[in-house]
Amino acid sequence: QKEVEQNSGPLSVPEGAIASLNCTYSDRGSQSFFWYRQYSGKSPELIMFIYSNGDKEDGRFTAQLNKASQYVSLLIRDSQPSDSATYLCAVFQGGKLIFGQGTELSVKP
Amino acid sequence: DTGVSQNPRHKITKRGQNVTFRCDPISEHNRLYWYRQTLGQGPEFLTYFQNEAQLEKSRLLSDRFSAERPKGSFSTLEIQRTEQGDSAMYLCASSLGEGGQQPQHFGDGTRLSIL
């Protein structure tokens, strides 16, 4: 079992729709969770992070955490073509980030 | 506030050569991390420093890989006797304090190509 798992996609949504990206993790003791966006050929860019169970909203982005289910998600409302990228879920463990393989998102005009 | 700076951006070298990459973190950040990323995968942790102390290096891929942060500021990652499989993007990140409460910010990376 991988430490952090994401569906690799691609996930395709029409412009204006809600994109839902999912991530599961294996270490029940994990406390901090991060979402990064990575455009092709570029480095990861932090979108948001979450520590507590429930929802955390930042503009069009909402992160959701369910520690009992070991599940983290990222919702992107009113998706735009500029949101097309790979979204990386990362879990902080033992002083370092453990990343999933990323989910490729394509937003179609 | 300048971001994390990595040099060079691209490195092309022949198999068997040694290469060294440099990372300058965000100025007040005391933690510095190295990751490697191959195509279609998420970044893979290699090692990290708090100031000049290397706190974990067990994930360095082999004894050909080494990293230093001699004065607690910039860091270097060296790969000796490069192999084809070393071709990847090498990413540096920094954070203010423990990364669990302080997010890590990445540089633009160094892309290594082994001929």
Side-chain angles (χ1 to χ4, degrees):
Chain A
Q1 182 186 7
K2 290 184 178 180
E3 293 174 282
V4 181
E5 293 205 53
Q6 298 180 252
N7 292 326
S8 59
L11 172 66
S12 184
V13 300
E15 183 174 357
I18 296 174
S20 178
L21 304 157
N22 305 317
C23 172
T24 58
Y25 60 95
S26 61
D27 185 347
R28 186 170 290 277
S30 300
Q31 296 294 320
S32 308
F33 307 88
F34 299 81
W35 284 99
Y36 286 83
R37 176 175 62 196
Q38 187 172 30
Y39 293 111
S40 180
K42 302 295 186 182
S43 64
E45 173 193 7
L46 180 70
I47 299 175
M48 61 191 306
F49 50 94
I50 187 167
Y51 309 132
S52 303
N53 274 329
D55 295 0
K56 179 181 179 182
E57 186 175 318
D58 184 359
R60 296 186 297 114
F61 299 96
T62 299
Q64 299 175 317
L65 174 60
N66 184 327
K67 290 185 179 179
S69 300
Q70 296 174 242
Y71 176 90
V72 190
S73 66
L74 180 70
L75 301 178
I76 307 175
R77 289 182 299 281
D78 188 24
S79 296
Q80 301 297 309
S82 59
D83 294 326
S84 297
T86 295
Y87 289 80
L88 296 162
C89 171
V91 176
F92 187 76
Q93 290 178 12
K96 58 191 173 286
L97 289 177
I98 306 298
F99 284 86
Q101 72 269 36
T103 298
E104 182 184 352
L105 173 66
S106 178
V107 181
K108 303 295 187 184
Chain B
D1 179 20
T2 57
V4 178
S5 176
Q6 291 189 248
N7 288 288
R9 293 293 308 279
H10 304 276
K11 180 70 176 180
I12 301 173
T13 192
K14 294 181 179 180
R15 183 169 53 91
Q17 298 295 305
N18 298 343
V19 295
T20 300
F21 311 139
R22 176 176 170 131
C23 172
D24 288 87
I26 294 171
S27 59
E28 67 269 25
H29 285 187
N30 57 354
R31 289 214 170 186
L32 185 149
Y33 308 81
W34 286 100
Y35 295 84
R36 184 180 83 154
Q37 188 174 26
T38 54
L39 195 62
Q41 300 298 315
E44 175 187 17
F45 171 79
L46 296 177
T47 188
Y48 81 104
F49 295 85
Q50 176 159 319
N51 300 312
E52 66 275 12
Q54 190 171 15
L55 297 186
E56 182 174 344
K57 57 182 180 180
S58 63
R59 302 256 187 148
L60 285 169
L61 300 165
S62 77
D63 58 6
R64 297 185 297 107
F65 288 71
S66 62
E68 294 183 338
R69 193 183 184 196
K71 296 183 180 179
S73 56
F74 73 92
S75 175
T76 58
L77 177 69
E78 181 180 18
I79 310 174
Q80 296 183 328
R81 305 181 303 281
T82 53
E83 301 173 355
Q84 293 279 358
D86 296 333
S87 295
M89 175 77 86
Y90 290 84
L91 294 163
C92 177
S94 69
S95 69
L96 179 63
E98 183 181 354
Q101 298 295 323
Q102 297 288 340
Q104 297 178 26
H105 298 273
F106 285 82
D108 288 336
T110 293
R111 183 169 296 281
L112 174 64
S113 298
I114 306 298
L115 301 177

